[in-house]
């Protein structure tokens, strides 16, 4: 993707090299996190005029009065769902899924007319991706396409069962795999995928053990799944199939899929897992295999683009309250007590932010998206001193990916290719002790790291419902013939999205968003830069 800007009569072909940053859809904004198009950070039109954007197949010139239509056409192209009939000559058949059937059977048009109910989603149904019309780029949290913050409708495909399907359930072999780390709700999604598959009439359902590794490791035989097997697995945390990071090459995985005769594969994981799912989808298309690859986004950090939230996040925030409350009790019970809680969040601070908001007890919230200093007159340590003087105690919540610039860099990587972070929690704990010892003020630091307790627990009610609907819609999407898609919730509606659009970058907390502003109001913390 190339970009050309006019900046005081100077053409900037590579805006990043000139200190500008590119938003998620490729538009220029002066903001360090590419996961956002934050118009409040747009360069003022007097200083810079965005002349054109060159994408894969189109150039958008904002001086063109017809640019909105062209943009929408490009958006529709990018968000068009890949379908098996794009590469295969296949015909649909009437669905076997019905809400009023005890067992799966063909649903004919007479039945549809007779019951008078609308059980199915039309292929042309769409949901709006964004619903707020910002009147100005200066509005808090404004996300805009052009410098004038013009309103452009962005429609995405609605999820749900279709009247026509592209598989014979009696002949389908479906597989489920869970990748990456643990997350509350994995068993709930597995359970609902199996139940919904059986509702269509599928009898051959298998589980691939320990992520992508299960496709090539001979010591990991597949597990036969049925409603009877999965009926109660949602009552426990973890994954009944096990998880693992990394895996074999795409060709090896697709070879295994082909050898096993798999027709549908449901892949639960984060953005790295989805990148692998997209590669599997592309290889299946290349080989002209009738295989539907459907993802279910799984990340406790809530950092998947475009979606309201991912499953496990609500549970993580709720469980984090236990740690924060314990830290609060410890700190308030000690003389000059400081409660320090480290929560998950490699690149995004959604858990720390929401947990801080929910608790009402946190005085300082530190997240990866907002830089901070520990030392100095405006640093965290000086503010902690102020809190001890005025309140007698303090609670600090930090995301694991925050403040990595303060730590020694590591070249180590995990099995997923992620850089192994330094422990910011331990570092802050040590620095707090050092600081208060140097100034001669007693401070009792209580450090709590509940990481694995949070991600290994059972899903709460809100996440259980989300997992149930995501699992159902994943199956509906596969039977509808879609492949290379993932399911999610956007503006309270369940939708299908092409995988490439949700893995463009990581979703981050916008420091100009109303939610972060609410967090700052709740904690009362100053700017630590």
């Amino acid at each position: 993707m190339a970009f050309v800007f006019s900046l005081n009569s100077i053409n900037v072909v590579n805006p990043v090299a000139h200190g500008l940053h590119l938003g998620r859809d490729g538009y220029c904004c002066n903001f360090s996190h590419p996961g956002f198009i934050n118009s409040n950070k747009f360069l003022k039109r007097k200083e810079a005029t965005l002349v054109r954007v060159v994408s894969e197949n189109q150039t958008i010139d904002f001086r063109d009065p017809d640019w909105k239509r062209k943009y929408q056409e490009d958006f529709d192209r990018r968000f068009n769902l890949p379908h098996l009939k794009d590469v295969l000559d296949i015909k649909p058949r009437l669905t076997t899924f019905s809400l009023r059937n005890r067992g799966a059977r063909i649903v004919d048009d007479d039945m549809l007319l007779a019951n008078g109910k609308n059980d199915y989603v039309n292929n042309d149904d769409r949901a709006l991706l964004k619903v707020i019309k910002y009147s100005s780029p200066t509005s808090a949290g404004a996300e805009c396409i052009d410098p004038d913050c013009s309103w452009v409708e962005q429609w995405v495909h609605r999820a749900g069962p279709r009247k026509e399907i592209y598989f014979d359930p009696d002949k389908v072999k479906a597989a489920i795999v869970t990748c990456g780390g643990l997350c509350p709700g994995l068993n709930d999604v597995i359970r609902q995928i199996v139940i919904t598959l059986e509702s269509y009439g599928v009898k051959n359902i298998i589980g691939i053990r320990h992520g992508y590794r299960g496709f090539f490791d001979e010591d990991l035989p597949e597990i036969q799944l049925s409603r009877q097997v999965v009926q109660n697995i949602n009552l426990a945390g973890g994954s009944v199939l096990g998880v693992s990071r990394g895996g074999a090459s795409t060709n090896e995985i697709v070879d295994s899929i082909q050898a096993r005769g798999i027709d549908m594969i449901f892949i639960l994981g984060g953005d790295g897992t989805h990148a692998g799912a997209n590669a599997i989808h592309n290889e299946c298309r290349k080989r002209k295999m009738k295989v539907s690859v459907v993802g279910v986004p799984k990340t406790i950090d809530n950092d998947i683009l475009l979606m309201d939230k991912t499953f496990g996040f609500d549970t993580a925030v709720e469980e984090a309250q236990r740690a924060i409350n314990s830290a609060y009790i410890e700190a308030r019970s000690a003389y000059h007590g400081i409660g320090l809680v480290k929560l998950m969040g490699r690149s995004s601070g959604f858990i720390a932010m929401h947990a801080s908001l929910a608790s009402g007890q946190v005085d300082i919230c530190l997240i990866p998206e907002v830089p901070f200093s520990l030392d100095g007159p405006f640093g965290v340590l000086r503010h902690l001193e102020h809190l001890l003087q005025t309140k007698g105690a303090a609670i600090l919540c930090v995301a694991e990916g925050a403040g990595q610039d303060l730590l020694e860099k590591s070249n180590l990587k995990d099995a997923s290719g992620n850089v192994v972070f330094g422990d910011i929690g331990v570092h802050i704990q040590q620095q707090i002790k050092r600081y208060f010892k140097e100034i001669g003020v007693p401070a009792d630091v209580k450090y709590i790291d509940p990481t694995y307790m949070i991600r290994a627990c059972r899903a709460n009610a809100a996440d259980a419902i989300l997992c149930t609907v995501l699992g159902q819609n994943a199956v509906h999407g596969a039977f509808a013939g879609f492949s290379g898609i993932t399911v999610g919730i956007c503006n309270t509606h369940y939708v299908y999205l092409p995988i490439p659009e949700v893995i463009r970058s990581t979703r981050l907390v916008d420091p100009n968003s109303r939610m972060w502003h609410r967090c700052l109001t709740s904690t009362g913390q100053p700017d630590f830069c």
Side-chain angles (χ1 to χ4, degrees):
M1 187 175 288
F3 302 84
V4 180
F5 298 88
S6 174
L7 182 57
N8 295 333
S9 301
I10 300 175
N11 285 331
V12 182
V13 178
N14 183 4
V16 175
H18 292 261
L20 306 179
H21 301 277
L22 306 181
R24 181 176 63 226
D25 283 3
Y27 298 104
C28 180
C29 53
N30 186 18
F31 187 57
S32 59
H33 301 294
F36 293 92
I37 316 168
N38 190 296
S39 295
N40 199 42
K41 299 292 185 178
F42 262 119
L43 300 177
K44 294 179 181 177
R45 293 199 66 181
K46 293 181 180 178
E47 300 173 1
T49 302
L50 195 149
V51 176
R52 62 175 179 168
V53 177
V54 182
S55 62
E56 295 176 359
N57 296 315
Q58 120 184 108
T59 297
I60 299 179
D61 187 340
F62 290 104
R63 297 167 301 184
D64 181 355
D66 202 28
W67 74 264
K68 286 186 183 180
R69 181 186 60 80
K70 294 177 180 178
Y71 174 83
Q72 287 177 320
E73 288 176 352
D74 182 62
F75 181 89
D76 291 341
R77 176 188 61 79
R78 289 190 293 114
F79 281 80
N80 185 47
L81 301 180
H83 198 280
L84 294 174
K85 64 183 180 182
D86 296 340
V87 293
L88 300 172
D89 184 17
I90 54 176
K91 303 297 182 183
R93 51 185 287 156
L94 287 172
T95 186
T96 54
F97 177 81
S98 174
L99 297 177
R100 274 160 292 280
N101 285 347
R102 290 181 179 172
R105 57 176 173 150
I106 297 295
V107 179
D108 57 32
D109 290 330
D110 290 337
M111 288 176 59
L112 296 175
L113 292 172
N115 63 43
K117 304 268 179 121
N118 299 321
D119 297 342
Y120 306 100
V121 171
N122 192 290
N123 283 329
D124 294 326
D125 284 359
R126 299 290 186 272
L128 267 179
L129 187 61
K130 297 179 181 179
V131 295
I132 299 178
K133 181 180 180 181
Y134 296 100
S135 62
S136 169
T138 61
S139 179
E143 296 184 9
C144 305
I145 293 170
D146 70 330
D148 291 327
C149 221
S150 302
W151 169 255
V152 179
E153 294 180 353
Q154 300 175 359
W155 297 97
V156 291
H157 291 252
R158 185 183 175 201
R162 269 58 173 173
K163 286 192 291 186
E164 294 183 331
I165 59 177
Y166 287 81
F167 290 91
D168 182 349
D170 288 333
K171 300 178 181 178
V172 165
K173 181 176 184 180
I176 308 171
V177 59
T178 55
C179 306
L182 289 181
C183 177
L186 281 169
N187 282 335
D188 298 72
V189 178
I190 294 169
R191 176 179 181 273
Q192 200 58 222
I193 289 175
V194 171
I195 290 174
T196 310
L197 283 168
E198 288 195 352
S199 296
Y200 274 91
V202 178
K203 301 179 179 63
N204 194 357
I205 309 169
I206 63 168
I208 304 297
R209 298 175 60 198
H210 294 289
Y212 289 135
R213 180 183 300 275
F215 282 107
F216 64 90
D217 192 329
E218 294 181 357
D219 293 330
L220 297 173
E222 61 190 41
I223 302 174
Q224 200 69 33
L225 300 176
S226 65
R227 183 171 191 139
Q228 185 176 3
V229 172
V230 304
Q231 184 62 46
N232 297 317
I233 62 173
N234 60 309
L235 302 180
S239 168
V240 70
L241 301 179
V243 294
S244 176
R245 298 188 184 276
S249 69
T250 300
N251 283 331
E252 287 180 304
I253 293 173
V254 176
D255 286 345
S256 177
I257 290 173
Q258 200 164 18
R260 296 170 190 252
I262 294 172
D263 304 290
M264 298 177 181
I265 179 164
F266 302 94
I267 302 175
L268 285 59
D271 52 2
T273 298
H274 272 65
N278 193 56
I280 292 169
H281 157 73
N282 288 331
E283 182 61 25
C284 288
R285 284 170 71 95
K286 180 181 176 182
R287 301 187 189 187
K288 295 189 181 301
M289 295 167 55
K290 189 182 177 183
V291 176
S292 182
V293 181
V294 179
V296 181
K298 176 231 67 176
T299 165
I300 201 170
D301 292 344
N302 199 36
D303 58 359
I304 298 291
L305 281 182
L306 307 177
M307 300 181 185
D308 293 357
K309 62 180 177 179
T310 50
F311 74 83
F313 174 70
D314 277 348
T315 306
V317 172
E318 185 174 302
E319 287 297 312
Q321 301 306 297
R322 301 176 187 271
I324 292 174
N325 189 55
S326 296
Y328 174 78
I329 294 172
E330 288 282 355
R332 295 297 299 182
S333 301
Y335 176 66
H336 280 187
I338 297 176
L340 172 59
V341 180
K342 187 185 78 171
L343 299 174
M344 297 184 73
R346 284 184 55 86
S347 302
S348 58
F350 286 103
I351 293 179
M353 178 177 68
H354 282 255
S356 297
L357 266 171
S359 73
Q361 300 163 340
V362 174
D363 299 295
I364 300 174
C365 178
L366 304 176
I367 61 175
E369 296 87 344
V370 180
F372 62 90
S373 299
L374 289 177
D375 297 299
F378 303 106
V380 172
L381 298 175
R382 178 64 187 87
H383 186 59
L384 282 173
E385 181 186 353
H386 168 73
L387 290 170
L388 293 189
Q389 292 171 349
T390 57
K391 297 178 60 177
I395 306 297
L396 191 155
C397 179
V398 59
E400 62 178 317
Q404 290 300 307
D405 58 310
L406 306 176
L407 305 176
E408 185 176 342
K409 300 297 181 183
S410 170
N411 294 322
L412 299 176
K413 294 186 177 181
D414 63 19
S416 297
N418 300 313
V419 174
V420 177
F421 283 171
D423 195 327
I424 187 62
V426 171
H427 178 74
I428 292 178
Q429 178 191 32
Q430 294 171 345
Q431 292 305 305
I432 292 173
K433 291 181 177 180
R434 172 194 61 80
Y435 177 80
F436 284 98
K437 182 178 181 180
E438 289 178 353
I439 65 174
V441 175
D444 193 351
V445 184
K446 309 295 185 181
Y447 178 44
I448 299 176
D449 180 355
T451 300
Y452 294 102
M453 293 174 62
I454 287 177
R455 74 178 196 171
C457 64
R458 174 187 173 187
N460 66 9
D463 271 328
I465 294 171
L466 177 59
C467 292
T468 295
V469 183
L470 291 176
Q472 291 177 357
N473 282 326
V475 176
H476 295 322
F479 267 103
F482 298 123
S483 182
I485 66 166
T486 192
V487 298
I489 182 169
C490 296
N491 294 315
T492 73
H493 295 285
Y494 292 90
V495 300
Y496 295 133
L497 299 166
I499 290 178
E501 294 303 321
V502 301
I503 61 174
R504 286 178 176 268
S505 63
T506 302
R507 180 184 177 222
L508 306 172
V509 172
D510 178 2
N512 189 56
S513 67
R514 289 293 300 126
M515 190 59 75
W516 178 245
H517 291 177
R518 293 171 186 133
C519 186
L520 295 179
T521 300
S522 175
T523 62
Q525 68 191 63
D527 186 351
F528 293 122
C529 289

